[in-house]
């Protein structure tokens, strides 16, 4: 079965420290992978995507993600966290039946 | 700036009412989607459409229907609202190709529906 896992419900990090939000996936074929962010009481905003090519993808607000095919992972990273990065983060992968498959989300809290 | 607009941010409806949630996008996107978001359950796809007058069921279509008469507008209809349909509803659109294989989706602000 195709699936996306975000193994951590919540991630806490101090401001200025690097952050990682984890995502692993299980799909057949070549995946298209996405990260979205949701601020409180808002819709989701696209951060970045991996389609093909360089395994390190750079996106909005200083975020980047590394595609690792052997580990079937697509972890979101940022070198130096800001308090304003506190939000809910979703990983998604295309399913071969044309639907996006979503992780359950990870709540990131950046502490001053 | 790309825009997906949902007609209401907050709605309160009574059990048994017919409810219409409207979504309009101004990006000439082919694909449009309705999701519901509940704590601990993530995003669940209700219906999607990849062309005018076309629709496909998502993962949880029961109790819902949709209408896409024009490319820019995708409506979600709750035929007879029930309390278990209290949720955050999110509309999204994406650009090219069938489905949304490699193009990112743009989301509206969401409609928080409460059914009492």
């Amino acid at each position: 079965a195709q699936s996306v896992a975000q193994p951590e419900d919540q991630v806490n990090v101090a401001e200025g420290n690097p952050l990682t939000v984890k995502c692993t996936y299980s799909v057949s074929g070549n995946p298209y992978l996405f990260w979205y962010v949701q601020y409180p009481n808002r819709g989701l905003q696209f951060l970045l995507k991996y389609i093909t090519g360089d395994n390190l993808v750079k996106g909005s607000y200083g975020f980047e993600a590394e595609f690792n095919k052997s580990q079937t992972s697509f972890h979101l990273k940022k070198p130096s966290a800001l308090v304003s990065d506190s939000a809910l983060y979703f990983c998604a992968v295309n399913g071969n039946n044309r639907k996006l498959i979503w992780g359950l989300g990870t709540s990131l809290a950046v502490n001053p | 700036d790309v825009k997906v607009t949902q007609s209401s941010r907050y709605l309160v409806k009574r059990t048994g009412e017919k409810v219409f949630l409207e979504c309009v996008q101004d990006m000439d996107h082919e694909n449009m989607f309705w999701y519901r978001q509940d704590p601990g359950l993530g995003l669940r796809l209700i219906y999607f459409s990849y062309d005018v007058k076309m629709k496909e069921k998502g993962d949880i279509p029961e109790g819902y229907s949709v209408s896409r008469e024009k490319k820019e507008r995708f409506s979600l209809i709750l035929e007879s609202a029930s309390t278990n349909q209290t949720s955050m509803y999110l509309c999204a659109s994406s650009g090219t190709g069938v489905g949304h294989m490699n193009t990112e989706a743009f989301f509206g602000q969401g409609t928080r529906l409460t059914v009492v």
Side-chain angles (χ1 to χ4, degrees), chain A residues 4-18:
Chain A
V4 173
Q6 293 181 241
E8 300 154 320
D9 291 336
Q10 180 147 350
V11 170
N12 294 292
V13 64
E15 188 175 27
N17 282 2

Side-chain angles (χ1 to χ4, degrees), chain B residues 4 23 31-35 74 90-94 105-108:
Chain B
V4 178
C23 176
N31 311 309
M32 297 189 74
F33 313 89
W34 276 106
Y35 292 92
F74 192 36
L90 296 171
C91 175
S93 71
S94 68
F106 294 86
F107 282 80

Side-chain angles (χ1 to χ4, degrees), chain B residues 88-108:
Chain B
M88 170 71 90
Y89 288 87
L90 296 171
C91 175
S93 71
S94 68
T96 59
V98 178
H100 43 177
M101 302 289 274
N102 63 2
T103 59
E104 59 269 29
F106 294 86
F107 282 80

Side-chain angles (χ1 to χ4, degrees), chain A residues 79-95:
Chain A
S80 179
L82 300 172
V83 173
S84 57
D85 293 329
S86 299
L88 189 57
Y89 290 81
F90 288 95
C91 180
V93 62
N94 81 301

Side-chain angles (χ1 to χ4, degrees), chain B residues 8-20:
Chain B
S8 304
R9 289 293 304 274
Y10 300 95
L11 274 179
V12 180
K13 296 292 182 181
R14 295 193 179 278
T15 301
E17 276 194 79
K18 191 169 186 176
V19 181
F20 294 85

Side-chain angles (χ1 to χ4, degrees), chain A residues 9 38 88 90 104-105, chain B residues 36-44 86-88 112:
Chain A
D9 291 336
Q38 186 179 34
L88 189 57
F90 288 95
L104 294 182
Chain B
R36 64 176 284 177
Q37 182 181 15
D38 301 286
L41 298 178
L43 272 71
R44 292 182 291 168
T86 291
S87 185
M88 170 71 90
R112 187 166 294 280

